[in-house]
Amino acid sequence: MEASVLYDRLDEELAVEDYADVDASANGLQVGSGAGAVDRVAVAVDGVQATFEAAADWDADAMVVHHGLSWGGIDRITGRTYDRVAALVENDIDLYAVHLPLDGHPQYGNAAGLADRLNLGNRAPFGRLGPVTVGQQGWLQQPASPAALHETLEDLLDHGGQGVRLLDFGPEEIESVAILTGSGTDWLDEAVAADVDAYVTGEPEGKLYHMAREAGVNVFLGGHYGTETFGVRALADLIAEWGPETAFLDEPTGL
């Protein structure tokens, strides 16, 4: 598959331009010429030395990651940034990054992937950020206790053995759930306004504890990494349908 065709398809499928004004990430092709053929595409949550080296060992032509290298510009390519860019350039690997568009996508997104695995029905966009959304909300097929949903999330999420934390401040029976992966403290008030019984996110800020307690909502914290493997895995399946061989490079952080 031609590299330019792959990146154009991803840009279009993920509506990258819709997030340009709200995302600090420079979404799209970040490193590489974007020319030539792409036969092997590695996907990973984080664009870091470990995943770049694993991609090189797998002989990847390109990488698609959720967390890339450029967040509002790179002033100098030195130190850690140099090492990461060198690992890509020396092994002739393109880097394509997609951040918030992959959080909010209704089919391939991180929240959508977790909602699929929880079998949520009556789903709707959640997590307003300007003109776009970065999460989903819906209803469990069968009500669950906080303990039961906690156990389900422990089984579903790649939390690196650190487990899922539960702030058990909400109803004893959970029917409705809002999901915003990664760092979602700033959207708790939207979850409360939506009158959901539970809010699932990745990592908290310190203020989240009392916000959840005062609002009377159950909050599940599955880790930033643990809640954000779904999107790149979905993209691996999509890209494979287009022709290239794909592989998911798992580097859990436990955070």
Side-chain angles (χ1 to χ4, degrees):
M1 184 178 193
E2 289 298 313
S4 59
V5 174
L6 171 62
Y7 306 139
D8 286 346
R9 283 193 184 182
L10 288 171
D11 285 347
E12 181 178 0
E13 193 69 51
L14 297 168
V16 165
E17 284 301 316
D18 292 351
Y19 290 78
D21 293 335
V22 297
D23 198 349
S25 172
N27 295 310
L29 184 65
Q30 291 191 347
V31 178
S33 66
V38 172
D39 297 317
R40 308 189 95 196
V41 180
V43 305
V45 175
D46 299 313
V48 294
Q49 197 76 26
T51 56
F52 295 161
E53 291 174 356
D57 290 342
W58 186 65
D59 198 24
D61 301 306
M63 282 195 72
V64 175
V65 301
H66 184 47
H67 302 130
L69 296 180
S70 180
W71 301 87
I74 298 175
D75 294 326
R76 292 177 175 81
I77 300 178
T78 59
R80 185 186 304 113
T81 301
Y82 175 84
D83 292 339
R84 291 177 175 179
V85 172
L88 294 166
V89 174
E90 290 171 2
N91 291 287
D92 197 20
I93 300 173
D94 286 355
L95 179 68
Y96 181 101
V98 58
H99 184 228
L100 293 183
L102 192 57
D103 286 321
H105 195 278
Q107 181 177 357
Y108 304 115
N110 287 312
L114 181 51
D116 287 344
R117 286 156 180 80
L118 291 175
N119 198 24
L120 296 187
N122 297 322
R123 279 152 62 169
F126 172 81
R128 178 62 59 184
L129 186 62
V132 295
T133 55
V134 288
Q136 290 201 358
Q137 66 185 72
W139 294 76
L140 296 172
Q141 300 299 313
Q142 296 291 333
S145 67
L149 183 54
H150 180 262
E151 182 177 355
T152 297
L153 290 168
E154 289 256 326
D155 291 339
L156 287 175
L157 298 176
D158 190 357
H159 48 69
Q162 299 303 305
V164 175
R165 295 181 63 190
L166 166 60
L167 304 181
D168 189 2
F169 297 133
E172 295 181 1
E173 184 175 83
I174 296 172
E175 296 182 292
S176 54
V177 180
I179 302 170
L180 197 145
T181 62
S183 182
T185 295
D186 289 343
W187 285 271
L188 179 68
D189 286 340
E190 183 176 340
V192 173
D195 198 28
V196 297
D197 302 319
Y199 180 46
V200 180
T201 189
E203 60 176 290
E205 295 179 38
K207 63 184 180 181
L208 181 63
Y209 178 93
H210 286 291
M211 289 172 65
R213 184 179 183 182
E214 291 164 7
V217 62
N218 297 298
V219 175
F220 297 84
L221 303 167
H224 200 125
Y225 183 93
T227 57
E228 296 201 326
T229 63
F230 302 101
V232 290
R233 286 181 182 272
L235 290 186
D237 292 339
L238 177 64
I239 293 168
E241 291 177 5
W242 294 341
E245 183 180 357
T246 62
F248 170 61
L249 307 178
D250 193 18
E251 286 286 342
T253 65
L255 301 175

